[in-house]
């Protein structure tokens, strides 16, 4: 059985306020995406990696692959307008058996612990899919013009990546989403739309998504002792 990682890295990173997309920022001398790729390179459970990136960054990706020895990186594909389109382009480049696993993980989550990845793959092997989440620990407030409502935090999860599905299911789910013009911010929302029962596995606060300049400051601190 093959277990292929898809790393969507086609975002512009506009929310971080930097001129270069956040996944290519150098953090203590190493590009952010290199930290992410190394997690998958090191995992014995991952057979290959596909990255979706804007074509302006194809050469940069190849350099990163060579510099950090990301030998599992087999394919660099064009990113799309939305994250969903980037993942679909990567998915379309794959020729897999229906039950092979596809592990989608944001390039912008560089500190994914190996234990979280391993546990998620184990769950997906046993149950057919796995969605990495953490439980909310803050008070959760839903506030808009119309309402000001406190939600029961024991029922609230923050959805992270990796999100793992069987290749055949994911292709069917994406096709259904496009057919009905459904836009999802991640694979789990697409697969939920397509009718899948989804299995949650534990994530980690370390697996946060780099979005703002403060996130980058924290990442610089956390990676200080990691060798380049
Ligand atoms: O924008 P957001 O933070 O949700 O992006 C999550 C991941 O999806 C990032 O790694 C980003 O590079 C990627 N992405 C993409 N193609 C897009 C938009 C985002 O691959 N068009």
């Amino acid at each position: 059985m093959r277990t292929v990682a898809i790393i969507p890295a086609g975002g512009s990173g506009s929310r971080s306020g930097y001129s270069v997309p956040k996944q290519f920022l150098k953090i203590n001398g190493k590009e952010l995406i290199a930290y992410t790729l190394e997690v998958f390179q090191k995992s014995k459970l991952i057979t290959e990696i596909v990255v979706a990136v804007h074509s302006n960054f194809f050469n940069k990706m190849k350099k990163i692959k060579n510099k950090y020895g990301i030998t599992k990186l087999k394919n660099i594909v064009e990113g799309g307008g939305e994250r969903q389109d980037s993942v679909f382009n990567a998915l379309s480049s794959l020729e897999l058996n229906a039950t092979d696993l596809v592990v989608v993980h944001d390039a912008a989550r560089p500190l994914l612990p190996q234990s979280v990845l391993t546990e998620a793959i184990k769950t997906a092997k046993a149950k057919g899919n796995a969605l990495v989440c953490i439980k909310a620990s803050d008070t959760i407030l839903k506030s808009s013009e119309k309402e000001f409502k406190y939600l029961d935090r024991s029922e609230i999860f923050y959805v992270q990546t990796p999100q793992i599905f069987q290749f055949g299911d994911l292709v069917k789910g994406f096709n259904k989403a496009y057919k009905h013009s459904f836009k999802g911010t991640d694979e789990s929302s697409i697969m939920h739309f397509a009718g899948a029962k989804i299995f949650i596995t534990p994530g980690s606060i370390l697996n946060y998504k780099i979005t703002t300049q403060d996130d980058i400051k924290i990442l610089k601190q956390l990676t200080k002792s990691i060798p380049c």
Side-chain angles (χ1 to χ4, degrees):
M1 179 196 260
R2 286 159 74 189
T3 302
V4 180
I6 288 180
I7 311 292
S12 61
S14 49
R15 279 175 294 168
S16 67
Y18 289 98
S19 52
V20 61
K22 60 192 173 187
Q23 56 275 25
F24 292 107
L25 280 178
K26 279 208 168 176
I27 309 293
N28 294 322
K30 181 169 18 181
E31 290 80 359
L32 195 158
I33 194 172
Y35 290 94
T36 312
L37 291 172
E38 282 180 337
V39 175
F40 290 87
Q41 178 68 28
K42 279 183 195 147
S43 169
K44 289 194 172 67
L45 301 174
I46 296 292
T47 44
E48 60 217 75
I49 304 169
V50 182
V51 172
V53 73
H54 192 282
S55 53
N56 290 350
F57 292 93
F58 276 11
N59 274 340
K60 199 169 188 70
M61 268 318 306
K62 283 180 200 155
K63 280 188 191 150
I64 290 171
K65 171 186 161 129
N66 293 334
K67 184 166 177 195
Y68 297 101
I70 313 296
T71 52
K72 291 181 189 171
L73 177 52
K74 300 294 182 212
N75 212 353
I76 301 169
V77 303
E78 175 84 47
E82 306 283 341
R83 181 185 184 286
Q84 177 172 335
D85 308 316
S86 296
V87 173
F88 187 68
N89 289 353
L91 203 54
S92 306
S93 76
L94 294 170
E95 282 181 23
L96 298 178
N97 292 323
T99 56
D100 286 336
L101 293 178
V102 177
V103 180
V104 185
H105 183 70
D106 294 330
R109 294 183 190 271
L111 298 183
L112 168 65
Q114 285 291 341
S115 56
V116 170
L117 175 60
T118 301
E119 192 58 37
I121 293 174
K122 261 192 210 163
T123 299
K125 281 187 174 165
K127 299 184 173 172
N129 66 58
L131 176 62
V132 168
C133 295
I134 53 175
K135 277 200 137 181
S137 53
D138 297 316
T139 297
I140 304 288
L141 169 64
K142 188 173 182 220
S143 168
S144 68
E145 297 255 305
K146 280 181 271 164
E147 62 180 343
F148 194 90
K149 187 179 170 196
Y150 288 88
L151 305 180
D152 179 357
R153 70 179 172 197
S154 69
E155 294 180 347
I156 303 286
F157 290 85
Y158 293 108
V159 177
Q160 302 186 329
T161 67
Q163 304 193 0
I164 311 178
F165 292 91
Q166 291 186 350
F167 177 69
D169 292 343
L170 203 53
V171 170
K172 274 190 218 147
F174 268 71
N175 285 336
K176 187 166 179 182
Y178 280 116
K179 191 173 164 203
H180 294 274
S181 302
F182 175 84
K183 288 197 176 181
T185 48
D186 68 347
E187 294 60 57
S188 73
S189 52
I190 290 169
M191 293 307 288
H192 176 69
F193 172 78
K197 177 173 165 51
I198 298 173
F199 298 93
I200 291 175
T201 67
S204 162
I205 189 103
L206 288 172
N207 185 31
Y208 71 106
K209 185 167 69 175
I210 307 298
T211 309
T212 64
Q213 300 203 4
D214 280 347
D215 294 334
I216 289 162
K217 275 188 208 156
I218 295 168
L219 182 62
K220 281 186 178 156
Q221 288 301 319
L222 290 173
T223 54
K224 257 187 184 162
S225 55
I226 300 178
C228 286

